[in-house]
Amino acid sequence: MKQIDDLLKKYFEGKTTLQEENFLKSYFRHEKVLPEHEIYKSLFQVFDEKANEKMAEKVSEKKVLPKVKRFWKQTVAISGIAAALLVIFWLKPIEKNEDFVIVNGKKIENTQFAQNYALEKLNNVSNTLENNLKPLGAITTVKSSMEPVKKIPQIKKRLEKIEETITLNN
Amino acid sequence: MDAAQFNSVILPLTDQLFRMAKSIVCNDEAAKDAVQELNAKLWENRSQLDKVQNLTAFAMKSMRNLCLDWLRTKKPNRDVPLDENLIATMPNPHQLIEQKDMTNYVKQLIDKLPELQRTIIHLRDVEGLEISEIATITATTENAVSVNLSRARQKLRKELMAIWNEKIM
């Protein structure tokens, strides 16, 4: 057992090799060691215990790569969906005609019908204006016919008074 | 480094990093937190990991630095020299009859070593690393590692002999 004593001496001086230290560890793992070596048994036993110690709660990928990986996964997914939608709308514009008019409270989406309806209504407005302006034409005729009469001073004076009165009333 | 490489290279180091953290902070929960934090940091900087030659040594060194920061901020006076404190906490030799009590006592002795000696003892006697690897992880010279290893072991032997002599008397 001189070999063990020599190795222990070297060990406590910090001069043993890993191989020699493994030999000492193996020796102290035995149930029976020499009484003079018993003192060191607990020391090597502790080293063995510590070497077999494991972290009770294992580190999982989800815990290690917390925000970083999941954040990028979500970002990539959302960006992908957004990009896909953008491409779809860009390549294929909405064909649906969103022009419409409201006629008598009803939504009319038929463009041709709406145009015809608008044209008809505009014609009605035009006819109404034309009919209503016809009396104005008669007034002009009367006015021009009255020009020779205005040469008579008394009548001219009267007419001017009448026009003045009309202007004031308006 | 992508997620698959990270899972196959870094995550298997979890237990080793946990033991390393525990040997420095002497606290299970803090050691677990340190492992989680380190893994998250390594993941965030995974693009830089491809340039690292020895990922195990790099991770261990990073873990030590993280734990030293934790000790500085959370427990500034945690690192107490063994000789000054041991007498007060030394159990009665008659209480150390059971082997289990003795191993618990040895664990306390190791925990009370100065941090560098505690880390070097852990890396050598528990993890079985070469002196050169320990020097890289602890950012010291190989000679400094050997000196600290020897001092740590001799302190442990001295304390063991003291308690043993009292036990058999």
Side-chain angles (χ1 to χ4, degrees), chain A residues 25 49-50 53 58, chain B residues 15 19 22 107 125 153:
Chain A
K25 284 178 184 172
E49 269 184 36
K50 281 179 177 281
E53 204 168 2
K58 280 288 171 192
Chain B
D15 289 329
R19 290 193 294 268
K22 194 180 168 187
K107 284 177 186 172
D125 289 329
R153 284 172 175 173

Side-chain angles (χ1 to χ4, degrees), chain B residues 48 61 73 78 93 110 113 117 123 154 159 168:
Chain B
Q48 307 292 319
K61 187 177 180 178
T73 53
R78 164 66 188 80
I110 294 171
L113 288 170
Q117 292 181 10
L123 294 174
Q154 283 177 15
E159 297 301 331
I168 58 174

Side-chain angles (χ1 to χ4, degrees), chain B residues 18-32 34 63-64 66-71 75 78 111 115 118-119:
Chain B
F18 170 72
R19 290 193 294 268
M20 168 90 174
K22 194 180 168 187
S23 78
I24 298 173
V25 300
C26 303
N27 178 313
D28 269 37
E29 288 307 311
K32 282 180 197 170
M63 176 52 83
R64 179 169 182 256
L66 196 70
C67 291
L68 291 180
D69 283 345
W70 187 88
L71 286 178
K75 294 183 177 180
R78 164 66 188 80
D111 286 351
E115 185 279 323
R118 191 163 73 236
T119 301

